[in-house]
Amino acid sequence: MAEDFINLQGDTPLLEYLSSLPVDEDLKKGIHSLALNADLDEYKADPTKTLYVEQKVNICDVYIGFIDLLIHSPQRTTIVDHKFISNKRYIPRDEDLLEDPQTAVYTYAASTFFDLPEITFEYHYYGTMSKWHEKRKLNLTRGQDED
């Protein structure tokens, strides 16, 4: 089976390339919102960090998911999940995110795999109908996650 990979040539900026793809206009707006995320600079090449992209999660064959981005370093480990929505009013409150199964499962998997006492989970929300970016940041201990 053949796989297609993004092939960037010359000095074409990634945003320009992604915007040129034949995709829905709402998705293009989401891509532009993603470009507003200044936090992405933090994920650039850094020898102290290991990036795991679309990391498969499988716990006892009960739940399978994919962590969008996991940044692991000696200082901290952060899970990043990207969400694209049309309106900011749909962004859940921190209390709701703490009860979200995705928060519990991904945090449990990463903290167990890396044997971490605490982990940071960031939900990044991007506008699809207009350009905006907001994030929710949860710092969780293993005990909080197990509860």
Side-chain angles (χ1 to χ4, degrees):
M1 173 169 64
E3 292 184 37
D4 293 325
F5 295 95
I6 293 177
N7 183 13
L8 299 178
Q9 297 177 359
D11 295 327
T12 305
L14 181 59
L15 180 59
E16 182 181 320
Y17 170 76
L18 292 173
S19 297
S20 72
L21 295 176
V23 296
D24 182 83
E25 284 302 311
D26 286 346
L27 182 56
K28 283 186 182 183
K29 289 176 185 170
I31 290 167
H32 281 109
S33 291
L34 179 64
L36 297 175
N37 185 349
D39 295 330
L40 292 177
D41 290 339
E42 179 183 341
Y43 313 144
K44 290 183 178 174
D46 179 339
T48 66
K49 296 177 183 174
T50 303
L51 303 182
Y52 299 86
V53 178
E54 288 295 320
Q55 184 63 48
K56 185 175 181 178
V57 176
N58 184 349
I59 300 173
C60 301
D61 293 326
V62 174
Y63 182 87
I64 297 175
F66 292 90
I67 296 174
D68 291 347
L69 177 63
L70 191 141
I71 305 133
H72 181 64
S73 74
Q75 295 78 28
R76 72 173 188 208
T77 296
T78 303
I79 295 169
V80 178
D81 191 70
H82 303 283
K83 304 283 189 195
F84 295 87
I85 59 176
S86 61
N87 193 307
K88 290 181 184 184
R89 70 178 176 200
Y90 299 121
I91 297 175
R93 298 172 304 144
D94 288 354
E95 298 81 23
D96 298 325
L97 292 173
L98 285 170
E99 296 187 12
D100 188 306
Q102 183 178 21
T103 301
V105 170
Y106 288 5
T107 302
Y108 174 81
S111 64
T112 302
F113 182 80
F114 292 109
D115 192 26
L116 301 168
E118 61 183 34
I119 197 161
T120 300
F121 197 130
E122 293 181 1
Y123 283 94
H124 289 253
Y125 293 90
Y126 305 98
T128 57
M129 301 303 286
S130 60
K131 298 174 190 176
W132 55 266
H133 166 247
E134 278 194 30
K135 73 177 176 181
R136 298 293 183 264
K137 185 175 182 177
L138 306 170
N139 293 306
L140 301 163
T141 65
R142 185 177 284 187
Q144 286 174 308
D145 189 47
E146 290 171 354
D147 284 346

